[in-house]
Amino acid sequence: DAMVIQNPRYQVTQFGKPVTLSCSQTLNHNVMYWYQQKSSQAPKLLFHYYDKDFNNEADTPDNFQSRRPNTSFCFLDIRSPGLGDAAMYLCATSRRQGNTEAFFGQGTRLTVV
Amino acid sequence: GENVEQHPSTLSVQEGDSAVIKCTYSDSASNYFPWYKQELGKRPQLIIDIRSNVGEKKDQRIAVTLNKTAKHFSLHITETQPEDSAVYFCAAGDSSYKLIFGSGTRLLVRP
C-alpha cells in the first residue's frame, strides 16, 4: 500500500556518469518534491513541481535536473555525479503547496564511486 | 530565509520516561510546524503537526507545544517505549511550498 514509491532503493554510479532516480505516487497529489539528505543532516529541498510548474531552489546545483512527465511520476537526473553528491534522495508529495502534510518515499541511497 | 535549529542531536531515555525535543525557527511568517519520525531504513512519516493558531496539540502519548513569541516549538513523548526509538525531525513552513527541516534528533529508548 505504499503511496510514494522510489526506485531504486540503492544506486551505485560512477563518477561523472549520468544517473536517474525515479519516484511515483498513487495519491494524485499536485505537488512533488525532491530532497537531498546527507548523513546526520536535515533533508534539503532541491526543487519541487506544482502540477507542471517547475521550481528550482536558488542553491540547487545545475548538475541536478528534474522531469515530471505526468501527475504520477517525477525523475531526478544527476548529469555528472561527483563524490559530494552521494546522499539519500527523498521524494515527497503533498496535496497542495504549503501548510500541509508531505508524504515521503523510502528514498534512494546514491553511492558515487 | 528560514532557519530551523533542533536540539538535542541525540537523546537517550529509559523506557517509561518522557522525552522532549526542541526546535527554534527564524521566520515569523512560518505558520505550520510538523514533526516527522524516521525509523532506520524507513521513510519519514508525519506523527503530529501544529498550526500557528493553537498553542498545544496532543495525540495520545505525543504532544507538541508552540510559542510564537519566542519562535520555538517542542515535541513531548510521554511513557516512552522501545518502538519510539527513531530519528525525529521538526520542520517549519508557511503558506508557500517550502518546509525547512531541523537537523534531527536520534532518540534511543532503553528497555
Side-chain angles (χ1 to χ4, degrees):
Chain A
D1 62 341
M3 296 175 288
V4 182
I5 302 162
Q6 290 187 243
N7 284 302
R9 291 288 310 278
Y10 301 92
Q11 176 73 57
V12 179
T13 191
Q14 289 180 329
F15 183 94
K17 185 175 180 181
V19 65
T20 295
L21 311 182
S22 74
C23 177
S24 63
Q25 55 136 337
T26 59
L27 297 163
N28 203 35
H29 281 172
N30 292 323
V31 191
M32 294 188 79
Y33 307 84
W34 279 105
Y35 286 88
Q36 180 192 63
Q37 185 179 26
K38 295 192 176 181
S39 184
S40 303
Q41 294 183 21
K44 179 181 177 298
L45 183 65
L46 296 173
F47 23 62
H48 81 281
Y49 277 92
Y50 181 68
D51 288 334
K52 293 183 179 180
D53 292 335
F54 175 71
N55 298 273
N56 203 30
E57 292 302 297
D59 57 354
T60 298
D62 292 340
N63 199 23
F64 291 86
Q65 304 286 321
S66 184
R67 296 170 283 135
R68 189 179 184 184
N70 53 53
T71 301
S72 301
F73 286 88
C74 195
F75 299 98
L76 170 62
D77 301 308
I78 308 177
R79 291 192 297 187
S80 182
L83 297 178
D85 297 327
M88 175 72 82
Y89 290 88
L90 293 165
C91 172
T93 73
S94 64
R95 190 158 36 92
R96 61 178 188 271
Q97 291 190 135
N99 285 344
T100 189
E101 180 179 359
F103 292 81
F104 283 87
Q106 286 190 290
T108 295
R109 182 165 295 283
L110 179 69
T111 300
V112 182
V113 297
Chain B
E2 175 68 283
N3 183 47
V4 177
E5 294 195 359
Q6 183 171 348
H7 300 281
S9 56
T10 59
L11 178 59
S12 179
V13 299
Q14 194 71 38
E15 182 178 0
D17 288 349
S18 294
V20 181
I21 303 171
K22 298 182 179 181
C23 288
T24 59
Y25 62 98
S26 60
D27 189 348
S28 56
S30 293
N31 55 15
Y32 175 63
F33 306 93
W35 286 89
Y36 285 83
K37 175 183 180 183
Q38 188 174 26
E39 296 177 73
L40 190 63
K42 296 189 177 180
R43 72 194 74 207
Q45 289 194 289
L46 181 74
I47 54 171
I48 195 167
D49 57 12
I50 190 167
R51 300 177 194 279
S52 58
N53 57 346
V54 298
E56 184 175 356
K57 184 175 177 181
K58 262 184 120 171
D59 183 3
Q60 298 181 336
R61 297 185 297 108
I62 294 173
V64 58
T65 58
L66 171 65
N67 183 327
K68 285 177 60 180
T69 304
K71 292 187 191 151
H72 65 69
F73 56 112
S74 300
L75 177 72
H76 304 252
I77 306 174
T78 58
E79 299 171 29
T80 52
Q81 302 166 4
E83 51 265 38
D84 295 329
S85 297
V87 178
Y88 291 81
F89 292 98
C90 65
D94 59 21
S95 55
S96 73
Y97 61 91
K98 203 163 183 172
L99 271 182
I100 303 297
F101 284 86
S103 54
T105 296
R106 184 173 299 278
L107 174 64
L108 174 65
V109 180
R110 305 185 307 273

